[in-house]
Amino acid sequence: MYTILDLLIDKNLLERLNKKSFDIYWNKTRKKKKYGKPQQNKDGTFKYRNTQEPIPQLKYLQRKINLVLQKIPLPHEMYGSIMGKDNIMNATVHVHSSNFLTIDLKNYFSNITNTQVHQTLLSLGFSTNEARIITKLTTFEGRLPQGAPTSPTLANLVFSSTVKELAELCSDKGIIFTNYVDDLMFSASKRFKNHVPEIIAVIKRNGFFVNNKKISYRNRYSEVTGLFIRNGQLHLKKEMLENIENRGTKEYVKRVEEQNKILRRISTLKK
């Protein structure tokens, strides 16, 4: 069904991967950033993220592989790391709800194994050899590396079967569901807290881990992928408005304002 035969696979690189060579990735530690500013802990120290950056030769191949992988259709409930979709669109789906559940998946990339990647590729129609080569080129130490360009796309593909199962469950319960990378959002116009154990059970049964510290059930308003939902509108966080002079922040604020205009227009038409 899919082919990677047009990729210029370097045999020497594959041999190094087969030998589990540790010189093909660089461990990097960098400050976590949000709204263009470094994130800090309550005690004032900075938050850091550890990544595994592939060497340029490998990153080049991963980018080519990613172009192939990104063409594979995903469930419409998925919004993260997908061309033409973003966090604003993800949040907009939930604007008319009044009950919200947010769940964060723990160590999302590092908990996805090379076996899961390989089996997913086979299920998508890749040949055994193609699935083996792609898995070798995109996993490290048996996991998805944090810094590889293919990791978000492969994580989406592996997690898509779980998304379908969650979507089916939520549809039966009258719950709206979306997924943005490792963030899961559920909402409805009525209380559904009694269904939370069922939702978590589906996630765990499929081999994923829930960050228990980041499970939140709220009424009337909620934060969804960096935006607050309240009264049918998207609201920016105070921290973002404090960094309004940043060019990227300005453009983002403008996009949110445009989305709110659309929402108000639709609301007026419905009256």
Side-chain angles (χ1 to χ4, degrees), residues 84-236:
K85 290 188 172 185
D86 59 25
N87 69 304
I88 299 174
M89 295 171 68
N90 178 67
T92 300
V93 176
H94 301 274
V95 291
H96 298 300
S97 296
S98 56
N99 287 261
F100 306 90
L101 167 69
T102 54
I103 296 176
D104 181 79
L105 297 179
K106 190 175 182 180
N107 300 326
Y108 186 46
F109 290 152
S110 60
N111 276 327
I112 294 178
T113 67
N114 54 357
T115 300
Q116 287 174 296
V117 171
H118 187 260
Q119 290 176 343
T120 297
L121 293 171
L122 289 175
S123 72
L124 290 168
F126 288 94
S127 69
T128 302
N129 190 49
E130 288 172 340
R132 181 184 63 81
I133 292 174
I134 292 175
T135 303
K136 285 284 185 184
L137 290 169
T138 58
T139 59
F140 179 58
E141 295 184 325
R143 310 282 172 177
L144 283 181
Q146 183 81 16
T150 43
S151 289
T153 306
L154 282 168
N156 275 342
L157 292 171
V158 172
F159 193 55
S160 63
S161 58
T162 307
V163 167
K164 291 176 183 176
E165 191 172 342
L166 286 169
E168 185 176 344
L169 171 66
C170 290
S171 178
D172 291 341
K173 308 295 183 183
I175 301 169
I176 298 169
F177 162 62
T178 61
N179 160 238
Y180 193 90
V181 192
D182 57 354
D183 290 324
L184 309 184
M185 185 69 211
F186 307 82
S187 70
S189 57
K190 60 182 180 180
R191 285 182 61 83
F192 62 94
K193 200 170 185 179
N194 57 312
H195 295 304
V196 174
E198 293 176 76
I199 290 169
I200 293 176
V202 170
I203 297 168
K204 290 182 176 180
R205 187 167 65 246
N206 282 276
F208 293 91
F209 302 87
V210 172
N211 188 336
N212 292 316
K213 293 180 180 179
K214 292 187 178 182
I215 298 176
S216 172
Y217 186 93
R218 291 176 177 269
N219 298 317
R220 294 187 296 279
Y221 78 96
S222 181
E223 182 182 349
V224 181
T225 49
L227 291 164
F228 279 111
I229 292 176
R230 189 170 56 249
N231 300 325
Q233 292 277 284
L234 303 174
H235 299 268
L236 295 156

Side-chain angles (χ1 to χ4, degrees), residues 8-20:
L8 302 176
I9 303 300
D10 188 317
K11 291 183 179 180
N12 291 327
L13 183 59
L14 281 176
E15 287 178 6
R16 287 162 70 184
L17 287 165
N18 286 328
K19 293 176 182 177
K20 297 183 179 180

Side-chain angles (χ1 to χ4, degrees), residues 52-70:
Q52 301 80 41
E53 301 286 341
I55 60 173
Q57 184 184 9
L58 178 56
K59 182 175 279 191
Y60 168 75
L61 290 176
Q62 288 174 343
R63 283 175 175 158
K64 294 186 73 175
I65 291 170
N66 207 37
L67 291 175
V68 175
L69 299 177
Q70 286 178 333

